[in-house]
Amino acid sequence: MISVGIDVGAKNINIVVLRFGELIAKGMADSGFEARDNALRLLGEVLAECDLAKDDLDSITSTGSGRKDIDFANHSITDVTAATKGTITLHPEVRTIIDVGAEEGRGIRLDDNGKIVDFAVNEKCAAGSGAFVESMSRALELTIEDFGPLSLESDKEIPMNAQCAVFAESEVISLVHSSTEKKDIAKAITDAIAARVSSMVRKVGFQTEIAVIGGVAYNVGFIRSIQNYLEKDVLIPESPEYVSAFGAALLPGK
Amino acid sequence: MAKEYWRWKEYNWKDENIDWKEATTISGGVDVGSVSSQAVILCDGELYAYASMRTGSNSPQSAVNVMNWCMDGTGLRLDDLHFTVGTGYGRVNVPFADKSITEIACHARGAHLMYGPTIRTLLDMGGQDCKAISVDERGKVTNFLMNDKCAAGTGRGMEVFADLLSLPIEEIGELSFQVEEEPEPVSSTCVIFAKSEATGLLRKGWAKNKVLAAYSSAMAHRVVALLERIDIQKDFAITGGIAKNVGVVRRIEEELGLTTLKTKYDSQIAGALGAALFGKVLCEKKRAKQAS
Amino acid sequence: MIANFGYKDATGEFYIAINTDKCDGCGKCVPVCPSGVLEVRDNEFDPMADEEMAAVTEEQRKKLSFSCSECKAGGSDNLPCVLACPRGAIVHSW
């Protein structure tokens, strides 16, 4: 039994290959503007790594905002279902999932059996997603990788007035001009996005354990900020950006 | 430095037929917006001079600059203004103002003069906000909403597109009509997401004008949705920087099935004009108080 | 006058509308709000009048969807600010 999960996000495609539920290969590529073709190419590469061909697969499950484009999948599931399955398989104790990707953010509340009770999604406004950090880091002339660690060097609380990513960019530039230190601005930005994400999580109600998945989980500054806002520690699964693809692979179609 | 496609032109104007030395009340209005600032001078309630300039990083200085430019060639000095009202986003930072008044009230008052007392619905599309205002026959606000939280539906959103497409902002209105047929509007509301959507359309081979048309109609659609909250009426006008963008204005008109009121004044000065009109009344009030 | 404080963004429309024909600036809505959203201040939208009205604070104006979420959790309609107003001058749009 070999199953594949393909998570097609706005920015990245993540693929996971499982043999009887055990991870045997994974890979990531840009979604680009031809997500289907890029996903097919990535699948070929990932399968080649573990000496498999497409014919060897028992099932391909797609998820993510671009899941409908994957016409070669035999099954597709929602982001919330995939994120939940992936997370509770890795960490059964989790009751709240925070999933922040490039262009979306989700808060999912689970019951004691790991069933979804409620969830909130924002995929319409960049302010609560990875896109916010990305455009701010561009304004600060920092790489995404440097952004989180740099923000950890600051303890200052500079409020960001702008809620919108477009307006926040101008605000960041004027902070730079007024000689505010980059680390303090970076902290203000991680606080801003964490404030938005945490209020979304509050809306669905949260309980420990709390897991953070999606690419933004790598941003250590964001993690610190969200822990401050929720006044709780959060756990981050290994390879948080693959959790939804993993969940999809675990839910094969017939 | 890269060319800035999103800048609007600066200008000033004065009425040569008016002699300010003969005026009993010279009132000033300054509207310090996030992107541009306007100044207006009234002589006994008659429009005497106005100017529009970019707002710099220092808003008190921008207020002084735009008023100085408004007075350029008139012989007037700041001290000659009997009463000045500041408005707009930087209204509390106008160093020579006697009072500051919210831009909602000033826009309503200014539009009432610019478009006549029949005006009932006013849409002001500024650089970083969008205001929908209902006005009564005296120019008083009866209902309003302002959106300055989100860049969608503001001048800033259009500037992002002008930059993305490397087209001068003053031309994009006309260019958006140079398409074979009207495309579907851009589906993302968020400017950041709309921009990535547009990048995708360009890679697909869409012409720049077609992308502009798709964004202009998305913007029109969004603004109309805002207007619906305040109960739009037939005597309707659009002010602010976007009023100069026919691509957005005509699409709003089409969607509403209405024609916007026209004015001989520059549509961007509504806020400053309203401020100066309040300045005149407040000046007269002050004098009456001092006399009694 | 109806003063709509709030915003519309890609996630929805979030306005608190104050009807100044009903609001007399009594301020009963102010202390009941757990997030400190409301205050009583001059009616700045009619600069020729000298009246006070309830209004959303400048600080909260752009984040109502977050600030009000506590009272609205579970889809509740029993909003303390609305209930506190003796004249029915406060309406939430969402």
Side-chain angles (χ1 to χ4, degrees):
Chain A
M1 168 76 185
I2 295 168
S3 62
V4 165
I6 304 182
D7 177 9
V8 187
K11 196 96 194 179
N12 297 309
I13 304 169
N14 293 80
I15 292 186
V16 159
V17 185
L18 304 180
R19 180 182 277 132
F20 294 106
E22 289 297 318
L23 180 73
I24 53 171
K26 64 183 202 285
M28 180 161 93
D30 283 350
S31 303
F33 294 101
E34 301 295 340
R36 180 217 176 259
D37 297 347
N38 293 338
L40 194 58
R41 192 176 319 122
L42 176 63
L43 179 61
E45 287 166 18
V46 173
L47 290 178
E49 248 174 64
C50 48
D51 289 323
L52 289 170
K54 219 167 142 247
D55 288 344
D56 301 324
L57 304 178
D58 294 291
S59 139
I60 300 175
T61 306
S62 66
T63 187
S65 56
R67 64 180 180 274
K68 296 270 153 59
D69 295 335
I70 308 304
D71 54 6
F72 53 87
N74 43 18
H75 184 53
S76 122
I77 60 173
T78 69
D79 310 70
V80 172
T81 308
T84 303
K85 180 69 183 174
T87 306
I88 58 158
T89 304
L90 295 167
H91 296 280
E93 70 278 21
V94 167
R95 295 294 167 263
T96 308
I97 302 169
I98 298 173
D99 177 7
V100 189
E103 291 198 356
E104 68 281 305
R106 285 181 205 92
I108 308 169
R109 182 156 61 97
L110 309 176
D111 67 13
D112 286 342
N113 302 314
K115 286 237 155 49
I116 300 162
V117 186
D118 196 6
F119 65 90
V121 184
N122 166 31
E123 48 193 14
K124 298 257 166 75
C125 170
S129 75
F132 184 79
V133 184
E134 206 188 292
S135 47
M136 295 316 118
S137 58
R138 219 178 301 128
L140 273 182
E141 295 173 341
L142 281 176
T143 63
I144 292 274
E145 289 73 26
D146 293 340
F147 193 93
L150 181 69
S151 75
L152 283 188
E153 292 174 22
S154 167
D155 280 321
K156 285 230 177 88
E157 290 209 10
I158 303 173
M160 294 265 300
N161 297 315
Q163 302 282 323
C164 167
V166 174
F167 293 154
E169 218 174 301
S170 328
E171 196 173 334
V172 163
I173 290 166
S174 61
L175 285 171
V176 171
H177 287 170
S178 67
S179 311
T180 311
E181 282 198 66
K182 270 192 185 182
K183 59 178 187 186
D184 297 332
I185 306 176
K187 161 89 166 26
I189 293 161
T190 57
D191 282 347
I193 173 170
R196 257 154 248 151
V197 172
S198 65
S199 63
M200 183 174 67
V201 177
R202 275 176 198 284
K203 229 178 272 178
V204 298
F206 68 94
Q207 263 187 309
T208 49
E209 297 288 323
I210 304 164
V212 180
I213 64 168
V216 178
Y218 282 114
N219 185 326
V220 288
F222 169 73
I223 296 298
R224 174 179 71 171
S225 300
I226 195 117
Q227 294 191 138
N228 282 342
Y229 278 107
L230 297 178
E231 295 172 345
K232 293 275 189 277
D233 284 343
V234 300
L235 66 84
I236 302 158
E238 202 182 317
S239 306
E241 77 278 36
Y242 283 99
V243 170
S244 292
F246 175 62
L250 288 167
L251 291 167
K254 273 142 234 140
Chain B
M1 197 171 168
K3 185 167 176 197
E4 289 174 313
Y5 290 99
W6 55 272
R7 299 280 201 191
W8 291 98
K9 281 209 179 81
E10 304 186 320
Y11 52 83
N12 67 352
W13 174 92
K14 64 174 178 291
D15 188 339
E16 306 284 0
N17 298 319
I18 293 178
D19 180 7
W20 62 265
K21 291 189 187 80
E22 288 173 13
T24 321
T25 308
I26 304 173
S27 61
V30 187
D31 180 356
V32 183
S34 57
V35 177
S36 66
S37 298
Q38 288 80 31
V40 163
I41 299 169
L42 301 178
C43 289
D44 294 325
E46 288 284 317
L47 184 62
Y48 172 54
Y50 63 76
S52 177
M53 263 178 130
R54 287 166 207 157
T55 304
S57 53
N58 178 333
S59 59
Q61 193 55 49
S62 300
V64 173
N65 290 349
V66 72
M67 189 48 99
N68 277 332
W69 202 37
C70 184
M71 297 190 294
D72 190 37
T74 65
L76 273 166
R77 290 166 306 129
L78 282 177
D79 288 346
D80 296 320
L81 299 172
H82 297 129
F83 204 100
T84 305
V85 171
T87 190
Y89 146 98
R91 65 178 175 273
V92 292
N93 291 321
V94 180
F96 53 94
D98 299 282
K99 191 180 166 64
S100 82
I101 296 180
T102 165
E103 58 266 39
I104 305 278
C106 290
H107 274 275
R109 188 68 192 81
H112 180 259
L113 185 129
M114 287 166 65
Y115 299 93
T118 61
I119 184 169
R120 287 296 168 272
T121 306
L122 173 65
L123 174 68
D124 178 67
M125 297 177 76
Q128 291 199 7
D129 66 4
C130 180
K131 301 182 264 288
I133 308 171
S134 295
V135 202
D136 72 8
E137 66 288 349
R138 291 164 300 161
K140 273 182 69 174
V141 179
T142 56
N143 195 341
F144 77 87
L145 65 83
M146 172 158 89
N147 199 20
D148 59 350
K149 187 246 175 191
C150 165
T154 70
R156 190 80 192 95
M158 201 41 99
E159 291 163 5
V160 167
F161 268 70
D163 248 6
L164 174 73
L165 301 171
S166 306
L167 294 170
I169 196 130
E170 283 161 335
E171 292 169 24
I172 60 180
E174 283 298 343
L175 291 175
S176 76
F177 292 115
Q178 293 172 21
V179 287
E180 279 169 30
E181 57 176 342
E182 185 78 7
E184 282 289 308
V186 169
S187 68
S188 313
T189 299
C190 175
V191 175
I192 300 270
F193 294 165
K195 196 175 152 188
S196 39
E197 198 179 325
T199 311
L201 295 172
L202 289 169
R203 290 210 194 164
K204 253 184 175 174
W206 279 39
K208 284 180 178 183
N209 294 349
K210 194 174 169 187
V211 174
L212 264 184
Y215 189 65
S216 303
S217 65
M219 193 160 189
H221 189 67
R222 173 172 173 82
V223 168
V224 167
L226 269 185
L227 280 170
E228 280 165 358
R229 263 201 84 71
I230 63 151
D231 182 28
I232 178 155
Q233 293 189 42
K234 188 171 79 33
D235 281 327
F236 160 61
I238 304 179
T239 58
I242 295 281
K244 297 181 179 174
N245 182 323
V246 287
V248 177
V249 172
R250 234 185 282 163
R251 286 178 175 91
I252 293 172
E253 291 180 324
E254 268 164 37
E255 197 163 329
L256 291 171
L258 289 175
T259 316
T260 50
L261 297 171
K262 301 290 177 278
T263 175
K264 59 175 180 174
Y265 302 102
D266 189 288
S267 62
Q268 258 181 302
I269 66 165
L273 176 61
L277 286 165
F278 280 128
K280 175 180 180 280
V281 180
L282 291 166
C283 181
E284 289 163 356
K285 263 194 175 174
K286 193 173 133 191
R287 282 178 185 154
K289 219 174 173 183
Q290 282 163 354
S292 65
Chain C
M1 177 186 69
I2 314 264
N4 293 280
F5 297 99
Y7 55 90
K8 179 185 172 116
D9 66 13
T11 64
E13 216 173 303
F14 310 95
Y15 287 100
I16 294 179
I18 309 286
N19 185 337
T20 56
D21 299 335
K22 294 181 180 171
C23 173
D24 61 358
C26 75
K28 289 193 174 113
C29 53
V30 176
V32 299
C33 173
S35 306
V37 165
L38 295 162
E39 64 183 352
V40 172
R41 61 171 193 242
D42 281 346
N43 179 350
E44 53 184 347
F45 307 100
D46 187 358
M48 294 303 145
D50 248 343
E51 285 160 3
E52 292 205 317
M53 66 182 278
V56 172
T57 66
E58 191 52 31
E59 208 234 318
Q60 294 286 344
R61 202 166 54 79
K62 297 182 196 171
K63 43 186 187 190
L64 291 183
S65 70
F66 306 142
S67 312
C68 295
S69 60
E70 200 177 313
C71 297
K72 285 175 191 274
S76 171
D77 283 333
N78 296 324
L79 302 171
C81 56
V82 174
L83 296 175
C85 180
R87 293 156 166 263
I90 305 174
V91 177
H92 285 231
S93 74
W94 79 110

